Amino acid sequence: MDLFALTRALVEIESVTNNEAMCGEFLFQHLAPLAAKYGGRVERMAVEAQRFNVLASWGKLIVTMSTHMDTVPPFFPFSEDEEFLWGRGSCDAKGIMAAMIRAAEQLLEEGISDLGLLFVVGEERNSAGARMAAKTPRGSCYLINGEPTENKLCLASKGALRFELRAKGQLAHSGYPALGRSAIDALLDALEDIRHLALPADSLLGRGTLNIGTISGGRAPNVVADEAQAEIMFRLVGDADPVRDAVHKAAAGRVEVREVLYTPVFHFSAFDGLPTSVVAFTTDVPALNETWGTPFLIGPGSIHVAHTAEERISKRELRDAVAIYVSMVKRLLSSHAEGPGKSQ
């Protein structure tokens, strides 16, 4: 299956977070013949019921290429024009997955092994697959993680801090609001103060940001709401504690605050000869915590269209990514063979 056909096959499998099993099974079946042909192995790495990572490896695992198989909602199907491949996951990150598979095929055809492919679940929500993989490392010395960076090597990525806010009120007839207590009013008041927090800035990563991702609550338009909730996410540029403290202070006495995810800011190693960037999103790399080796972050596609109804990936960038991954694996294997301290 060529690069574009493989991307199409992957995109056409709906794999919104928590529904990755069909994608994982496709990857397992697709990689099994490649593993058999070149003396490798492929396995399902259990994460939780009906969810598993897929690992394929050849020889002694020194360099691992990795990305995620889950996508954000909503799913929309594949389409193609002369310049782009479109569809949910096309750039985040199924096109990347296809490029990594094609790079592995090319390397194996050239007689090069000591490499692996690790495809994980749950990156878009809580990095569940990466956290499980971190508990079962296989000795890999280098990790090439794929996210949409326009084929530029990422030098640093922002962190993430996610909270659930929950307000409680008292039911009443909306004609007599003084007899009740609106949970929605309490939630909105807290959110208004949180929206105006002064967030830290960093000379490399810029300023921290806030997104209010979901809001829900209430019973009916003629009922004073007894419950309301929201999910919010900060993109961090430094220490999380000042942001945590400010959120709890803004919410105090009005809403319950529960922290559900923390991912720290991450600074990556350099790799000579590649253009560089910094990114405002988070990845699986901090969750893997270098258990799969020194990490590098690079992939085709633009993050500006990921998570949107315009998600697409350039065919040219996709082809270029294969060559980039092949070159990086070869250089990392060579560096490893020459011993520690050798520059990439």
Side-chain angles (χ1 to χ4, degrees):
M1 195 178 294
D2 70 24
L3 177 61
F4 299 158
L6 180 54
T7 301
R8 175 176 185 158
L10 288 165
V11 170
E12 287 183 336
I13 302 170
E14 186 269 291
S15 60
V16 170
T17 306
N18 294 319
N19 193 37
E20 304 100 337
M22 287 183 63
C23 185
E25 193 59 37
F26 173 88
L27 287 166
F28 182 90
Q29 298 299 332
H30 182 82
L31 292 170
L34 191 65
K37 182 177 180 179
Y38 293 102
R41 64 191 301 261
V42 61
E43 60 181 293
R44 302 174 184 87
M45 302 173 69
V47 176
E48 55 188 43
Q50 304 303 314
R51 302 180 77 198
F52 55 90
N53 300 331
V54 175
L55 172 65
S57 59
W58 296 265
K60 180 181 179 182
L61 188 54
I62 295 173
V63 183
T64 303
M65 293 180 282
S66 178
T67 190
H68 58 94
M69 63 181 87
D70 66 314
T71 74
V72 297
F75 172 78
F76 65 96
F78 178 90
S79 63
E80 180 178 358
D81 59 33
E82 290 187 4
E83 187 176 359
F84 294 102
L85 306 177
W86 299 69
R88 178 59 75 223
S90 54
C91 79
D92 189 17
K94 292 181 175 180
I96 294 170
M97 201 181 311
M100 288 180 166
I101 293 171
R102 184 64 197 108
E105 290 171 345
Q106 184 173 324
L107 289 160
L108 293 166
E109 289 164 3
E110 294 178 23
I112 297 169
S113 61
D114 296 341
L115 59 98
L117 295 165
L118 173 64
F119 300 130
V120 301
V121 301
E123 188 272 347
E124 296 290 5
R125 188 67 181 174
N126 58 9
S127 291
R131 294 179 194 280
M132 184 60 70
K135 297 177 181 178
T136 54
R138 303 301 171 83
S140 180
C141 299
Y142 305 99
L143 177 77
I144 302 172
N145 192 249
E147 290 286 352
T149 68
E150 301 177 4
N151 282 337
K152 297 175 182 178
L153 185 76
C154 180
L155 298 180
S157 61
K158 286 186 177 181
L161 186 60
R162 195 168 81 229
F163 297 98
E164 291 178 356
L165 308 182
R166 186 172 297 274
K168 295 181 180 179
Q170 181 177 331
L171 292 170
H173 191 292
S174 66
Y176 303 89
L179 299 180
R181 187 177 66 257
S182 173
I184 290 177
D185 286 351
L187 179 64
L188 292 177
D189 289 346
L191 287 173
E192 181 66 9
D193 287 348
I194 290 169
R195 286 180 60 231
H196 289 93
L197 294 177
L199 298 178
D202 177 80
S203 59
L204 179 63
L205 288 165
R207 185 167 294 280
T209 60
L210 164 67
N211 181 58
I212 300 173
T214 69
I215 297 178
S216 61
R219 306 290 178 171
N222 59 347
V223 178
V224 174
D226 65 328
E227 52 84 28
Q229 48 276 326
E231 294 176 294
I232 65 174
M233 177 179 277
F234 292 91
R235 299 292 178 171
L236 303 173
V237 298
D239 184 7
D241 283 343
V243 179
R244 283 191 181 102
D245 293 344
V247 169
H248 282 282
K249 183 177 179 181
R254 293 187 288 193
V255 300
E256 174 189 346
V257 177
R258 186 170 78 92
E259 183 177 322
V260 294
L261 177 72
Y262 166 58
T263 304
V265 171
F266 200 92
H267 292 269
F268 292 86
S269 300
F271 197 102
D272 295 342
L274 291 172
T276 60
S277 67
V278 296
V279 299
F281 55 83
T282 57
T283 73
D284 276 329
V285 171
L288 288 165
N289 196 28
E290 301 200 32
T291 55
W292 286 73
T294 300
F296 303 91
L297 182 68
I298 187 169
S302 169
I303 197 65
H304 295 160
V305 296
H307 298 196
T308 77
E310 302 297 316
E311 185 171 357
R312 61 192 181 275
I313 193 164
S314 158
K315 294 179 179 179
R316 175 187 55 78
E317 277 192 32
L318 205 51
R319 284 190 292 260
D320 290 347
V322 176
I324 290 168
Y325 290 143
V326 167
S327 175
M328 289 183 73
V329 171
K330 288 180 176 179
R331 289 173 60 187
L332 290 169
L333 289 173
S334 176
S335 174
H336 182 80
E338 293 178 20
K342 177 68 176 177
S343 170
Q344 280 82 47

